[in-house]
Amino acid sequence: MPSRNHLDKIGRKKKKWTEEAMERALIEVKSGRCTVRQAAKEFGVPKSSLGDRVSGRVAPGSRSGPAQLITSADEELLVEFSLYMSSHGFPLTKQQLVSFASTIYKRQHRRVAFSKLGQTWWLNFRKRQEKKITIQPAENVVRGRTLCVRKEAVDQFFHLLSTVTDAHALRDKPHQIFNCSETGFQLGRKRTALSKPANMGFKPAAGLRDHISVLACFNAAGEDIPPFIIYSKAYPGGVSYKTRGPSNALYGWSDSGCINSDLFKKWFLKHFLLHVPKERPLLLIFNGHKCPVNLEVVEAARKEAVVLLCLPPHCSHILQPLDAGFFVLLKQRFATLIGDNAANLAHFAVSKKEFSGVFKGTYRAAKEEEGVRTVKEGFRKCGIYPLNHFDIGDGHLAPSDGLGSDADPSLSTPMQEGNAAGEVTIAGPSS
């Protein structure tokens, strides 16, 4: 990071002449009416800069200073992309915007191993685009408040949902409204009952052998996209986990056994877009705070007419349709198939290799009348379809349960939901 003195010098080195004055001076010198020195003094431009243009070392109209890291056209696209994300519930933090800019930079310089974009680029970008975007400090609130459902956030989400569904004429098209969410299965031969404080986020319980997550996706008509099964640390040995698993399922792995940004990109580009109906536009609702989307996903979504809509932080347990019953049904079926009727539906005595075979039988519930009815009821209960902005009561405003027996570890990553104190979000110009 550059020193403060260096940044101060950058601020002081402002160009005090205009390109119009430089052009007029250049015309006078080339016509022979003035020398370089005389024209520079008359029109208030630097003598050396004028001399460079007269000699041809610098082309007329060229930008002074170091080469621009991102072209003006790409920077305009970055601003437009930031405003799009903000209007769909994904206000970008400074770190996310710089990351997206770095992705654009690497596309232009494919042989560069790392991006040169840093604090200096960010400060200059803010200055250039100050009329188009606003920088909003994150709320500096105590942890207890950030882990609670906020009525204002829920109201804002339903206002945004109503605006999007009306703009794209989706109010009466349940086949085109999707929700994706993740649920976790703790595997181990020995059952371990460990108490976990509420609201501490997802952490695989100590003493368990493996964690496996399933990313499920359904539309409001009860139709599914084949599941995405994510293993922890590595795939099981052999290929039997694929042959025994659900039809057309996708498989992946991560260190935690949970979805992350790269896996979400893999799922969206190579799985979701492959299995969704041809009708457009589509609406995909998910918890984007725990799994930040990357530039490739947003570009593909806009190209394919898929509207991405982010749930507000800490509201998954009341606004996520699949959490409202279907995931509970899945875990009940899973426990029945392995002969485990314990009340705790988070820990299961089954091995990593056995999981996909057992889950195949479990996932048949998605095709049965009870499963379809449960999915539809989840959309209705959460007010997603039919659209119904229900009133938030005191019970809804309580802190979310993190990963209780019925709670959702949806899209868990090391990133915390929402913005930490001190971060900034990028939004449109304030009215």
Side-chain angles (χ1 to χ4, degrees):
M1 180 182 295
S3 66
R4 176 52 57 187
N5 289 336
H6 176 62
L7 296 179
D8 290 341
K9 289 179 182 178
I10 293 176
R12 289 196 297 268
K13 292 180 180 179
K14 294 182 179 179
K15 186 168 70 173
K16 297 181 180 180
W17 50 272
T18 64
E19 288 296 336
E20 182 183 0
M22 180 64 74
E23 290 176 4
R24 292 169 61 190
L26 186 59
I27 292 173
E28 291 297 313
V29 173
K30 288 188 175 182
S31 66
R33 291 190 289 268
C34 295
T35 64
V36 171
R37 183 184 296 275
Q38 291 171 339
K41 183 176 182 181
E42 180 179 349
F43 294 99
V45 297
K47 173 176 168 293
S48 58
S49 298
L50 179 58
D52 288 340
R53 285 160 174 77
V54 172
S55 64
R57 287 192 296 270
V58 175
S62 296
R63 175 183 177 272
S64 60
Q68 192 168 344
L69 295 176
I70 295 180
T71 65
S72 298
D74 282 333
E75 190 166 294
E76 289 297 321
L77 289 176
L78 183 63
V79 172
E80 193 267 338
F81 166 73
S82 302
L83 299 180
Y84 170 86
M85 295 291 284
S86 178
S87 66
H88 288 77
F90 299 86
L92 300 180
T93 65
K94 166 191 167 183
Q95 289 78 7
Q96 288 171 331
L97 189 138
V98 174
S99 175
F100 289 139
S102 298
T103 300
I104 295 174
Y105 177 81
K106 290 176 182 178
R107 287 179 182 176
Q108 300 170 350
H109 307 80
R110 296 186 180 276
R111 296 184 180 181
V112 177
F114 59 91
S115 171
K116 296 181 179 180
L117 275 62
Q119 182 72 357
T120 299
W121 176 87
W122 162 250
L123 293 175
N124 290 331
F125 171 81
R126 283 185 57 178
K127 184 177 179 180
R128 288 191 296 269
Q129 305 298 338
E130 60 184 355
K131 294 183 179 179
K132 297 182 180 180
I133 62 174
T134 58
I135 310 299
Q136 301 173 348
E139 293 182 4
N140 188 15
V141 292
V142 297
R143 177 176 173 82
R145 172 147 172 78
T146 62
L147 292 177
C148 292
V149 177
R150 296 174 59 240
K151 184 179 184 303
E152 299 88 346
V154 176
D155 291 341
Q156 185 178 10
F157 169 76
F158 275 102
H159 174 73
L160 180 58
L161 177 61
S162 178
T163 301
V164 169
T165 52
D166 287 341
H168 298 280
L170 292 173
R171 278 190 183 252
D172 298 318
K173 298 178 180 178
H175 294 82
Q176 294 170 238
I177 300 175
F178 286 83
N179 170 235
C180 72
S181 185
E182 184 185 32
T183 189
F185 295 81
Q186 298 284 8
L187 310 183
R189 291 299 182 186
K190 294 182 179 180
R191 299 180 58 83
T192 307
L194 297 178
S195 60
K196 181 172 72 69
N199 311 319
M200 292 304 290
F202 170 73
K203 289 185 179 179
L208 298 176
R209 299 172 62 183
D210 290 296
H211 171 77
I212 296 177
S213 293
V214 175
L215 182 67
C217 184
F218 286 78
N219 63 23
E223 300 167 339
D224 75 308
I225 302 296
F228 184 17
I229 299 176
I230 304 167
Y231 293 94
S232 59
K233 299 181 175 60
Y235 294 112
V239 296
S240 61
Y241 70 93
K242 289 186 177 180
T243 58
R244 296 176 182 175
S247 177
N248 296 319
L250 181 68
Y251 297 88
W253 70 272
S254 66
D255 289 339
S256 64
C258 296
I259 195 78
N260 56 32
S261 184
D262 290 335
L263 288 178
F264 187 79
K265 179 176 76 171
K266 173 183 177 180
W267 173 82
F268 184 83
L269 298 180
K270 299 182 179 180
H271 195 65
F272 176 81
L273 294 178
L274 179 66
H275 291 282
V276 292
K278 295 181 180 180
E279 293 84 359
R280 294 294 189 274
L282 303 177
L283 173 62
L284 177 60
I285 302 171
F286 64 102
N287 191 337
H289 297 282
K290 286 187 175 180
C291 182
V293 296
N294 56 34
L295 190 60
E296 292 85 350
V297 169
V298 178
E299 289 176 336
R302 300 184 70 179
K303 181 179 179 181
E304 294 288 338
V306 178
V307 181
L308 304 177
L309 192 61
C310 182
L311 291 169
H314 316 295
C315 297
S316 294
H317 59 299
I318 63 173
L319 295 180
Q320 191 92 266
L322 296 183
D323 293 359
F326 183 71
F327 282 163
V328 178
L329 175 62
L330 275 187
K331 292 192 176 183
Q332 288 173 343
R333 291 288 186 93
F334 191 89
T336 300
L337 285 177
I338 64 175
D340 188 345
N341 296 316
N344 188 339
L345 298 179
H347 307 150
F348 301 96
V350 62
S351 71
K352 195 172 181 178
K353 288 185 177 181
E354 298 168 340
F355 177 82
S356 62
V358 177
F359 187 75
K360 179 179 181 179
T362 303
Y363 197 72
R364 291 195 183 106
K367 308 295 184 181
E368 298 172 358
E369 183 179 350
E370 181 185 4
V372 173
R373 185 176 64 251
T374 303
V375 172
K376 291 181 178 180
E377 177 63 17
F379 276 88
R380 186 201 64 78
K381 186 177 179 180
C382 294
I384 305 297
Y385 184 87
L387 183 59
N388 178 28
H389 184 171
F390 58 87
D391 293 328
I392 303 299
D394 293 339
H396 294 125
L397 295 175
S400 58
D401 292 332
L403 280 184
S405 58
D406 299 340
D408 168 38
S410 59
L411 308 183
S412 299
T413 66
M415 248 183 131
Q416 295 297 322
E417 264 189 5
N419 298 319
E423 289 185 336
V424 294
T425 57
I426 314 300
S430 56
S431 55

